[in-house]
Amino acid sequence: MSEQSSAVPIAKISLAEKFAAIDDQWNPRVVGELNGQHVKLVKFIGAFVWHHHEKEDELFMVHRGSFRMEFRDRAVELAPGDILIVPRGVEHRPVAEKEVEVLMFEPATTLNTGNVVNERTVWKPKNL
Ligand code: NI
């Protein structure tokens, strides 16, 4: 084995374990970072606020449960294993009938509520 040059330890991330440690909703946690991007996990139920991101594309992947990503002209239903990329500038609103577990991948600068600031805004997501 060659010596590691990175200061970051290499360790697997168990989505099951991480999601089990999340006991609230609409509160994304950072579980990894690479190339200026965050890997975030979030649980949610109900409808989020309509918003868009000026400069960031967002990737959503369902781990457990399901949700609907609404756009102004249509909606996309997502099941476990499904991935959806929302391009920058496109208004969207995630809605879940039951609690869903979602992985997000997006630039570290991304604010969860995008161009909107309200009670759901998380300015600095915590590490998990
Ligand atoms: Ni968004």
Side-chain angles (χ1 to χ4, degrees):
M1 297 288 279
S2 62
E3 192 176 335
Q4 289 296 334
S5 58
S6 170
V8 179
I10 299 172
K12 74 173 183 179
I13 297 166
S14 163
L15 293 181
E17 287 177 12
K18 294 293 187 182
F19 276 115
I22 296 175
D23 60 1
D24 56 10
Q25 293 159 336
W26 302 112
N27 187 5
R29 307 303 208 290
V30 178
V31 297
E33 183 165 2
L34 66 161
N35 304 318
Q37 307 248 337
H38 276 163
V39 179
K40 297 176 184 170
L41 305 183
V42 65
K43 289 181 177 178
F44 63 87
I45 186 171
F48 201 51
V49 60
W50 281 104
H51 68 280
H52 70 274
H53 307 270
E54 289 292 342
K55 297 177 180 169
E56 298 101 348
D57 306 324
E58 289 192 296
L59 179 150
F60 297 83
M61 190 191 84
V62 176
H63 178 247
R64 184 181 297 171
S66 62
F67 80 101
R68 179 175 72 252
M69 186 64 83
E70 295 184 349
F71 300 100
R72 289 302 189 182
D73 59 346
R74 67 191 183 111
V76 178
E77 302 284 345
L78 296 165
D82 286 345
I83 286 176
L84 179 69
I85 297 170
V86 177
R88 65 196 67 182
V90 176
E91 260 197 309
H92 56 284
R93 180 177 81 149
V95 180
E97 307 296 338
K98 297 178 180 175
E99 186 179 76
V100 62
E101 298 177 352
V102 175
L103 178 151
M104 293 179 299
F105 184 56
E106 57 195 15
T109 53
T110 309
L111 188 63
N112 65 328
T113 51
N115 61 314
V116 175
V117 171
N118 69 3
E119 71 281 358
R120 291 264 168 80
T121 302
V122 178
W123 292 102
K124 196 172 188 329
K126 290 187 168 66
N127 292 315
L128 178 65

